[in-house]
């Protein structure tokens, strides 16, 4: 390999590495980041108490998620981590969704869950999880969790490699947005009347 080709190759490698390094949350140059106009900081700034409801509140009537990300806990800004607690009453589902900025590591705290994700080749990977099991949903891929138990609730805790992983709920994104009904009907090879029925069902 000539010197010129070696230099081009090394430049491409360096570019690839730099782009990979930028793929996650940006690195920070301080111990932590304070919000604007935030002058004093103590232990309260680093504390989130929102998950106490898992211990003290009754099981909700429908699926519930309690997020602990940068919006709820500003101290997470720049730390590249966050949590979500998920509560699944009997026969409930966390609808198909994606997290565009992070993989998800789900830990089943109670009950059992049917989980799965679809890769970019349209292959479904699914599993039945029991209490104590962990499952990883790769970054950006469509996935779901379902409590098929008709009697018992389930609970799980999800960890993310981003302070703000984002959630794109497919039902809401597609049918509770302002995308034209005709576009949706053509996309799903159906008619506008069916699209309107789906939209009405999601609002009910």
């Amino acid at each position: 390999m000539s010197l010129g080709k070696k230099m081009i190759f090394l430049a491409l490698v360096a570019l690839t590495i730099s782009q990979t390094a930028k793929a996650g949350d940006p690195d920070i140059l301080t111990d932590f980041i304070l919000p604007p106009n935030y002058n004093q900081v103590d232990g309260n700034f680093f504390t989130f108490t929102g998950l106490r409801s898992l211990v003290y509140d009754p099981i909700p009537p429908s699926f519930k998620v309690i997020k602990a990300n940068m919006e709820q806990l500003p101290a997470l800004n720049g730390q590249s981590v966050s949590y979500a607690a998920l509560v699944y009453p009997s026969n409930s589902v966390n609808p198909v969704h994606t997290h565009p900025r992070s993989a998800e590591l789900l830990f089943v705290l109670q009950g059992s869950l049917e989980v799965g994700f679809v890769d970019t080749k349209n292959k479904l990977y699914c599993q039945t999880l029991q209490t104590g099991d962990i499952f990883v949903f790769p970054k950006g891929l469509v996935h779901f969790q379902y409590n098929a138990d008709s009697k018992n609730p389930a609970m799980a805790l999800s960890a993310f490699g981003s302070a703000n992983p984002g959630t794109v709920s497919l039902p809401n994104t597609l049918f509770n947005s302002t995308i034209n009904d005709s576009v949706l009907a053509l996309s799903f090879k159906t008619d506008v009347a069916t699209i309107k029925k789906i939209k009405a069902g999601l609002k009910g």
Side-chain angles (χ1 to χ4, degrees):
M1 186 182 289
S2 69
L3 180 59
K5 288 183 178 179
K6 286 182 181 177
M7 295 300 290
I8 292 172
F9 174 75
L10 290 174
L12 288 172
V13 169
L15 179 63
T16 302
I17 291 171
S18 69
Q19 291 303 313
T20 302
K22 295 177 184 175
D25 287 356
D27 285 336
I28 60 174
L29 302 176
T30 57
D31 294 334
F32 49 87
I33 298 173
L34 291 177
N37 302 319
Y38 205 98
N39 298 322
Q40 294 186 348
V41 61
D42 58 18
N44 290 317
F45 177 71
F46 302 97
T47 304
F48 179 70
T49 61
L51 297 186
R52 290 180 182 176
S53 62
L54 290 177
V55 179
Y56 300 110
D57 291 355
I59 299 296
S62 58
F63 168 76
K64 181 179 181 181
V65 59
I66 305 165
K67 296 180 180 180
N69 61 33
M70 196 172 74
E71 184 177 343
Q72 292 80 28
L73 180 58
L76 290 176
N77 187 10
Q79 302 302 322
S80 300
V81 292
S82 60
Y83 268 139
L86 308 110
V87 185
Y88 313 79
S90 301
N91 294 320
S92 66
V93 66
N94 184 1
V96 288
H97 63 282
T98 69
H99 302 291
R101 293 181 287 275
S102 177
E104 175 181 359
L105 192 62
L106 181 132
F107 173 53
V108 181
L109 298 169
Q110 174 185 331
S112 63
L113 290 172
E114 306 290 330
V115 302
F117 69 86
V118 180
D119 70 8
T120 55
K121 295 180 180 177
N122 210 33
K123 181 177 179 181
L124 173 65
Y125 298 83
C126 53
Q127 185 65 277
T128 300
L129 303 178
Q130 305 298 331
T131 302
D133 291 348
I134 289 177
F135 190 85
V136 61
F137 300 100
K139 179 180 177 179
L141 297 185
V142 173
H143 60 279
F144 67 90
Q145 302 109 29
Y146 171 51
N147 179 11
D149 192 317
S150 60
K151 296 181 180 178
N152 300 303
M155 290 187 187
L157 188 66
S158 286
F160 299 94
S162 171
N164 186 18
T167 300
V168 180
S169 170
L170 272 63
N172 281 332
T173 299
L174 294 170
F175 299 106
N176 282 338
S177 68
T178 55
I179 297 174
N180 186 283
D181 288 351
S182 297
V183 171
L184 290 172
L186 287 169
S187 298
F188 287 95
K189 301 188 186 311
T190 187
D191 52 48
V192 170
T194 301
I195 297 298
K196 289 185 182 295
K197 285 182 181 178
I198 293 172
K199 287 185 172 184
L202 286 172
K203 292 176 182 175

